[in-house]
Amino acid sequence: MPSVEQLATTPSATYNEDFYLWTQKMAVALRQGAVSALDMENLAEEIENLGKSDRRALKSRLEILLMHLLKWQFQPNRRSGSWQCTIIEQRLRIQDILTDSPSLKNYLISILPEAHHNAILLAAAETTLPLDLFPKDCPYSIKQILDIDYLLPD
């Protein structure tokens, strides 16, 4: 692994010029405790963005999962292996995120109403079913939403 000094001799790599090289320099500086070599402002921003990224991924996966659960429940004659696979996939990926960041479970609970609303819009658009056919409030608990077997055939 190169030292901070070795990386300092590489062409100038700032956060905006060569992000990958910047990340490598920051990792080396952190490991070596070279605080003066750290780009504190951009490091803080990147760490914040990591958390935001997980939150966005969780919300997106929840919306997709809810949309497919709604389609599964309200269009039983159109059920497919593809829908079932998507439901399972989203549940698994949400569990992955929650395993890595258990504190996001509270966020999951807080975004459920908005995610459900968005899922209704998506489900109605995809199925051409009327919006008012879908329940205004989410009919599923978080436990049901995350249950790998809920609403799926044995």
Side-chain angles (χ1 to χ4, degrees):
M1 173 172 297
S3 69
V4 173
E5 294 79 26
Q6 290 169 320
L7 284 175
T9 63
T10 61
S12 175
T14 65
Y15 179 78
N16 293 319
E17 293 169 350
D18 187 337
F19 182 74
Y20 175 75
L21 185 55
W22 176 85
T23 64
Q24 299 312 293
K25 284 184 174 187
M26 294 303 102
V28 169
L30 283 167
R31 285 188 182 97
Q32 294 181 355
V35 176
S36 64
L38 294 174
D39 177 356
M40 295 293 197
E41 184 59 34
N42 286 318
L43 274 173
E45 185 176 324
E46 287 302 318
I47 290 169
E48 285 174 346
N49 287 339
L50 289 172
K52 289 177 186 176
S53 175
D54 279 353
R55 286 170 48 124
R56 283 190 300 273
L58 187 60
K59 183 179 179 195
S60 174
R61 291 191 179 279
L62 180 60
E63 289 171 349
I64 293 167
L65 173 55
L66 289 171
M67 175 186 69
H68 279 78
L69 288 173
L70 290 167
K71 290 184 338 180
W72 190 268
Q73 184 174 355
F74 289 92
Q75 272 195 325
N77 58 325
R78 306 282 311 264
R79 290 177 182 169
S80 69
S82 174
W83 287 4
Q84 184 175 359
C85 185
T86 298
I87 290 169
I88 293 168
E89 169 74 14
Q90 298 311 310
R91 284 175 168 160
L92 292 173
R93 297 300 73 83
I94 288 171
Q95 286 297 350
D96 288 345
I97 294 169
L98 294 176
T99 297
D100 288 344
S101 302
S103 63
L104 285 177
K105 183 148 190 188
N106 291 331
Y107 177 69
L108 183 70
I109 294 165
S110 73
I111 61 167
L112 182 58
E114 181 183 354
H116 174 69
H117 172 75
N118 294 345
I120 288 172
L121 296 175
L122 294 167
E126 190 169 309
T127 63
T128 68
L129 294 171
L131 278 171
D132 60 2
L133 175 72
F134 299 102
K136 182 176 169 32
D137 295 319
C138 186
Y140 320 114
S141 68
I142 292 292
K143 184 177 180 182
Q144 290 169 326
I145 291 167
L146 299 178
D147 182 346
I148 201 75
D149 296 319
Y150 180 71
L151 278 187
L152 296 179
D154 294 330

